[in-house]
Amino acid sequence: QVQLVESGGGSVQAGGSLKLSCEASGMIARIDNMGWFRQAPGKQRELVASISKDLVTDYRDSVKGRFTISRDNTKKKIFLQMNSLEPEDTAVYYCNANIVAIGDWGRSSNYWGQGTQVTVSS
């Protein structure tokens, strides 16, 4: 069974920093794109940043220059370094990945972590 487990959320004042981590575990043959999404109360879930297995990154405009996504393929982990946090960044952050599990004959499936709360106060 494949799992994604996030860690690193918390509460911080505006201007502060947090680093989120996500580790994939289980019977994994290959991990393709990975990313971070977030969902604020009453809003739709939105993509924050993504990173391919070749380490190509993409960010939503509102976090460019403040957030950095990175990946450690050997440890099956991704990270999201969040600097200059703003109250508008308050949300539950979810790790997401396209993973080929062992025994799935090359078929990629999409997985979500359980989410970690990030709260930024003004």
Side-chain angles (χ1 to χ4, degrees), residues 4 12-13 20-21 44 50 57 63-64 71 75 79 83 87 95 101 106-107 117-119:
L4 297 175
V12 65
Q13 289 193 327
L20 306 182
S21 300
Q44 289 190 329
S50 64
T57 60
V63 307
K64 285 180 180 177
R71 176 169 176 165
K75 295 182 179 179
F79 308 93
N83 299 327
C95 179
R107 180 176 58 91
Q117 177 71 45
V118 170
T119 302

Side-chain angles (χ1 to χ4, degrees), residues 33-37 47-52 55-60 69-71 78 80 96:
N33 278 13
M34 302 184 79
W36 291 95
F37 287 70
L47 177 63
V48 176
S50 64
I51 184 166
S52 73
L55 308 183
V56 176
T57 60
D58 191 25
Y59 299 89
R60 71 179 302 105
I69 189 170
S70 59
R71 176 169 176 165
I78 60 167
L80 187 67
N96 179 268

Side-chain angles (χ1 to χ4, degrees), residues 11-17 66 83-90 119-122:
S11 297
V12 65
Q13 289 193 327
S17 299
R66 300 189 297 122
N83 299 327
S84 302
L85 281 160
E86 302 168 354
E88 294 73 23
D89 296 317
T90 296
T119 302
V120 184
S121 58
S122 57

Side-chain angles (χ1 to χ4, degrees), residues 61-76:
D61 287 346
S62 63
V63 307
K64 285 180 180 177
R66 300 189 297 122
F67 290 11
T68 302
I69 189 170
S70 59
R71 176 169 176 165
D72 184 336
N73 285 329
T74 60
K75 295 182 179 179
K76 300 183 178 65

